[in-house]
Amino acid sequence: MQATLIATRDRALTDAHGDGVKNSQISAACAWFRCCFALGVDPTQADWEGMTVTQLGEHIISFICFEILRGMSPLSVVNVYLPHIENYWAELGVDIKFSEARKCKRVKLVAKGVMNAYFKKHPKSGRVKVVFSLPMTDAVSIFLGRDLKCVQQLFRLAMRLGIWFLLRKGEYLKTYKNTGGLRRNCLVFSSTSGAHIPYAMIGKTVASALHVNVKFSKTDPHGYGRLVSHQRQPSGAACIVSEIEMFIAKSRDLWHIKETQALFVWPDGSDLMADDVAMVMKGVAGLLGKDPKKVSAHSLRFG
């Protein structure tokens, strides 16, 4: 019976958080150990349970300052790492006064100080309040110029796909921080019978549905993939399936874009960048009398 209770407890602790939170908690614990070693303290030998609130508070202050010097955002250190470290000790069953130490006045003053210094250099940005809607994507042609049909179609479709499938920018557009972006082989068009339409036949065989396999996102840190789909709409209705279908067929036949390349590319094959899409979105918002500062690529998903 005792073994069963222990197994149930361990399983409950394992299931207490999602994979993303677990990974973040591991990072926090590693950061705590790294700081201890840097200060000459062996975290496996220290008498954490015997420390007073004041003593533990000083360790927490040193940890905050150490991570700030490493370049970490105080928002992450104070609001994410410290709670994770507290949970780490709790899950180990070690009874230390971490919660009380986090709340002591001296720790709070240090946390407030590093926050104030951070926000002087990184002013708080207001929450995105401008919803970038499907009708707004039609204003891209006015902003970019009606003669730039290839360019305006590229930006317009990138925005519309983000809205239709509620995608984060890093899930389908390349960013300067990583090699992200949705590859064409992650898009599957299917016929009315459910059969997969080969890349060479897209646009030649009418698709009944479009399935997008989002390979990686912040809510899927292990890259298991997330499948999102849309059905073809009746003739005359807005339809992301037919729009992407025609774009892929055109860029494949005229620009010779391969199945392994990015979905949204320039005629020379280079990827469309997320920052470029955000820049055009801000321009469109300004053209429509809205505040460009309240528009970002997240405005697509926010809508």
Side-chain angles (χ1 to χ4, degrees):
M1 182 63 180
Q2 185 67 20
T4 303
L5 291 174
I6 293 174
T8 303
R9 178 206 65 193
D10 292 344
R11 177 59 186 270
L13 290 172
T14 300
D15 293 341
H17 306 294
D19 289 338
V21 174
K22 290 175 188 174
N23 289 339
S24 183
Q25 184 169 308
I26 292 172
S27 297
C30 289
W32 177 264
F33 292 153
R34 180 174 53 235
C35 175
C36 289
F37 284 123
L39 297 176
V41 177
D42 186 342
T44 63
Q45 301 298 321
D47 183 18
W48 300 111
E49 293 176 273
M51 289 185 185
T52 65
V53 171
T54 301
Q55 290 172 326
L56 193 52
E58 289 303 313
H59 275 282
I60 293 175
I61 288 172
S62 296
F63 173 72
I64 293 173
C65 296
F66 181 79
E67 289 300 297
I68 298 303
L69 291 174
R70 287 186 60 245
M72 283 287 290
S73 161
L75 292 170
S76 298
V77 178
V78 175
N79 297 334
V80 180
Y81 270 20
L82 290 184
H84 280 332
I85 294 169
E86 182 178 337
N87 287 337
Y88 169 78
W89 290 116
E91 290 177 13
L92 287 180
V94 179
D95 184 19
I96 66 173
K97 304 174 180 67
F98 201 91
S99 179
E100 297 92 325
R102 278 179 60 203
K103 298 173 184 176
C104 74
K105 189 67 175 179
R106 187 171 165 85
V107 172
K108 285 186 175 181
L109 285 173
V110 171
K112 181 179 180 181
V114 294
M115 291 282 196
N116 289 342
Y118 177 80
F119 285 126
K120 285 181 181 178
K121 294 183 179 180
H122 309 83
K124 289 182 179 179
S125 58
R127 184 182 178 187
V128 176
K129 295 182 180 179
V130 174
V131 174
F132 209 90
S133 61
L134 286 172
M136 289 178 69
T137 63
D138 293 328
V140 170
S141 60
I142 303 174
F143 174 71
L144 291 176
R146 295 184 181 278
D147 295 332
L148 303 173
K149 290 185 179 180
C150 166
V151 177
Q152 62 180 251
Q153 183 189 31
L154 190 60
F155 281 101
R156 180 177 178 274
L157 274 183
M159 296 171 191
R160 291 174 74 84
L161 185 81
I163 294 172
W164 276 94
F165 286 94
L166 293 176
L167 299 172
R168 297 178 178 88
K169 66 178 183 181
E171 292 177 342
Y172 78 108
L173 293 171
K174 186 174 181 179
T175 67
Y176 289 103
K177 292 182 180 180
N178 56 48
T179 58
L182 203 59
R183 303 290 105 182
R184 295 186 168 209
N185 53 18
C186 292
L187 277 73
V188 176
F189 289 90
S190 59
S191 63
T192 52
S193 65
H196 171 214
I197 299 174
Y199 184 68
M201 295 302 296
I202 294 174
K204 300 174 184 178
T205 300
V206 178
S208 175
L210 168 59
H211 315 278
V212 176
N213 183 14
V214 182
K215 289 289 189 180
F216 184 86
S217 71
K218 68 179 184 181
T219 56
D220 178 28
H222 298 295
Y224 291 123
R226 175 167 58 90
L227 193 66
V228 286
S229 305
H230 269 294
Q231 299 295 315
R232 193 181 198 93
Q233 300 300 301
S235 178
C239 178
I240 194 64
V241 177
S242 59
E243 290 179 13
I244 297 297
E245 180 184 58
M246 288 188 292
F247 172 71
I248 287 182
K250 176 183 176 181
S251 55
R252 177 200 61 209
D253 297 340
L254 297 181
W255 307 344
H256 308 294
I257 305 301
K258 296 181 175 61
E259 188 177 8
T260 53
Q261 290 180 261
L263 170 58
F264 295 112
V265 294
W266 298 103
D268 64 0
S270 58
D271 293 13
L272 177 67
M273 305 300 291
D275 285 354
D276 295 330
V277 174
M279 179 185 68
V280 173
M281 289 173 63
K282 289 178 181 292
V284 170
L287 181 70
L288 298 177
K290 302 181 184 296
D291 186 356
K293 293 181 180 179
K294 294 183 178 179
V295 173
S296 72
H298 186 60
S299 294
L300 301 171
R301 182 175 172 84
F302 182 72

